[in-house]
Amino acid sequence: MMDRITPVSPMAKTKRLVSASVTVLCLALLGSGVVLTEARGASSQGPASDEVEKTTTQVESPKDVVVAKVNGAEINMDSLVKMMSRIKAKDRNGADKQTIQQQALDRLILVNLAYQQAQSEGLKADEKNVMAAIDNLKRNLGSQEEYEKFLELQQVSEEELKAQITRSLTLEIAYARQVYNKVNVPQELVEKEYEQQKDRYVTAEKMRVVDVLFLQQDSAEAMEKTAEEVLAKLQAEEEQNAWKLSLDGTFIVRTYDINRDKDKELYEVGKKLEPGELSGIIKTAKALHIIKMKEYTPARQLTLEEVRGNIENALRVPTQDRRLQEWE
């Protein structure tokens, strides 16, 4: 028995996708390879499909077990199981096996229809890009031997891998043409978002110093005496370079970004220093410091032109999602 969605003409296929909800009725006797799927009638909830055939077959290899056909293109058990694994890995709601099967098969049907549409429009990945992807994979794996082990592990030949990459890159082209390139963000919307969220588009104030941090000693007097001695050494040197000090265990030297809220005492002194200027001894609740201003950049309001791209990308996402749903 076979349930079939009435096929449309090739001309119509290039213009529209007919929705069909595909339900997995049974995925039983997996070890023996017996699989049953069914295509049901048109539905706006399911993936697009022109033709999905119910197929029952019994063979040993998952690659030979056909679970559905989309306009003659076969979807095998191997693809279904791999897609189920991907969906399960991302599932946060604890969906049951049947639901995951449904989602996986729906996704595979959608991908097949998208690829068929891309082919009907003459879209195809450039051979150079396919080979570049394979070369990049080889580099990441480290050697030809590791690459061959990868193919063996994935149970694919190099030609099958090329076909998969070609298909993937072709779908990217189709996605760009049918979704991304058709999403336009009105400039008046960008300008409105900028004015409403202007406080967000500000560069943070930056105060970077060389900090001589004095460590706790037996007494506060001893620590202050050490700080005074170090300050005198720095003031006597033309460069006032704290990195040239000989460390004796009573202090450390570090590059430090002062936080306005956390380092209030350091900030109050730091904002009065010019680049290259040395402070005196600064007392905080926990330690003593001597700082030298290395770099100061005040907070700055970014212009619309500086943030236009970021705003457009943020506004593009919901519009792009809606367009993707329309395309699917």
Side-chain angles (χ1 to χ4, degrees), residues 145-173:
E145 181 180 358
E146 291 299 319
Y147 171 67
E148 291 172 0
K149 286 181 181 179
F150 169 81
L151 294 179
E152 183 179 353
L153 182 64
Q154 296 298 317
Q155 297 182 337
V156 295
S157 67
E158 186 169 64
E159 287 306 310
E160 287 174 324
L161 178 61
K162 286 182 181 178
Q164 290 176 10
I165 294 173
T166 299
R167 182 187 181 93
S168 178
L169 294 179
T170 300
L171 285 170
E172 287 183 13
I173 296 171

Side-chain angles (χ1 to χ4, degrees), residues 214-238:
F214 294 89
L215 307 175
Q216 291 290 339
Q217 297 185 38
D218 294 336
S219 66
E221 292 79 7
M223 187 165 63
E224 288 182 14
K225 182 179 179 182
T226 301
E228 290 170 358
E229 291 172 353
V230 170
L231 179 59
K233 288 179 182 179
L234 288 172
Q235 291 174 335
E237 185 190 40
E238 184 177 355

Side-chain angles (χ1 to χ4, degrees), residues 140-284:
N140 290 337
L141 291 172
S143 67
Q144 180 67 26
E145 181 180 358
E146 291 299 319
Y147 171 67
E148 291 172 0
K149 286 181 181 179
F150 169 81
L151 294 179
E152 183 179 353
L153 182 64
Q154 296 298 317
Q155 297 182 337
V156 295
S157 67
E158 186 169 64
E159 287 306 310
E160 287 174 324
L161 178 61
K162 286 182 181 178
Q164 290 176 10
I165 294 173
T166 299
R167 182 187 181 93
S168 178
L169 294 179
T170 300
L171 285 170
E172 287 183 13
I173 296 171
Y175 174 83
R177 175 178 289 194
Q178 295 293 341
V179 179
Y180 192 84
N181 293 345
K182 290 190 176 182
V183 174
N184 294 314
V185 179
Q187 290 308 299
E188 57 269 23
L189 190 59
V190 175
E191 293 169 6
K192 181 179 178 181
E193 174 69 14
Y194 175 75
E195 291 300 329
Q196 289 180 341
Q197 304 292 334
K198 209 167 186 178
D199 291 345
R200 293 177 53 193
Y201 306 116
V202 178
T203 60
E205 182 181 39
K206 181 178 181 181
M207 186 182 292
R208 177 165 291 181
V209 300
V210 175
D211 178 28
V212 182
L213 170 62
F214 294 89
L215 307 175
Q216 291 290 339
Q217 297 185 38
D218 294 336
S219 66
E221 292 79 7
M223 187 165 63
E224 288 182 14
K225 182 179 179 182
T226 301
E228 290 170 358
E229 291 172 353
V230 170
L231 179 59
K233 288 179 182 179
L234 288 172
Q235 291 174 335
E237 185 190 40
E238 184 177 355
E239 294 182 7
Q240 298 182 337
N241 188 348
W243 295 105
K244 292 183 178 181
L245 292 170
S246 297
L247 300 179
D248 59 8
T250 60
F251 64 90
I252 62 172
V253 180
R254 61 179 181 170
T255 298
Y256 185 65
D257 289 333
I258 294 175
N259 183 288
R260 181 172 186 166
D261 297 320
K262 289 169 54 180
D263 309 306
K264 293 181 179 179
E265 298 92 340
L266 297 181
Y267 178 81
E268 288 301 319
V269 174
K271 70 179 184 180
K272 299 174 183 177
L273 298 177
E274 296 293 330
E277 187 176 357
L278 188 70
S279 75
I281 298 171
I282 306 169
K283 286 187 178 182
T284 67

Side-chain angles (χ1 to χ4, degrees), residues 24-37 57 65 77 97 101:
V24 178
L25 296 182
C26 180
L27 189 53
L29 302 176
L30 182 57
S32 63
V34 178
V35 180
L36 180 65
T37 63
T57 184
V65 179
M77 172 63 72
K97 185 176 180 181
Q101 289 171 0

Side-chain angles (χ1 to χ4, degrees), residues 281-301:
I281 298 171
I282 306 169
K283 286 187 178 182
T284 67
K286 296 181 179 180
L288 297 179
H289 300 258
I290 298 172
I291 62 173
K292 182 179 180 181
M293 181 56 62
K294 186 173 182 179
E295 177 187 354
Y296 176 74
T297 306
R300 182 176 69 85
Q301 176 68 56

Side-chain angles (χ1 to χ4, degrees), residues 52-67:
V52 181
E53 297 180 358
K54 179 177 70 176
T55 304
T56 304
T57 184
Q58 184 170 359
V59 288
E60 293 183 358
S61 172
K63 288 188 176 182
D64 295 328
V65 179
V66 179
V67 297

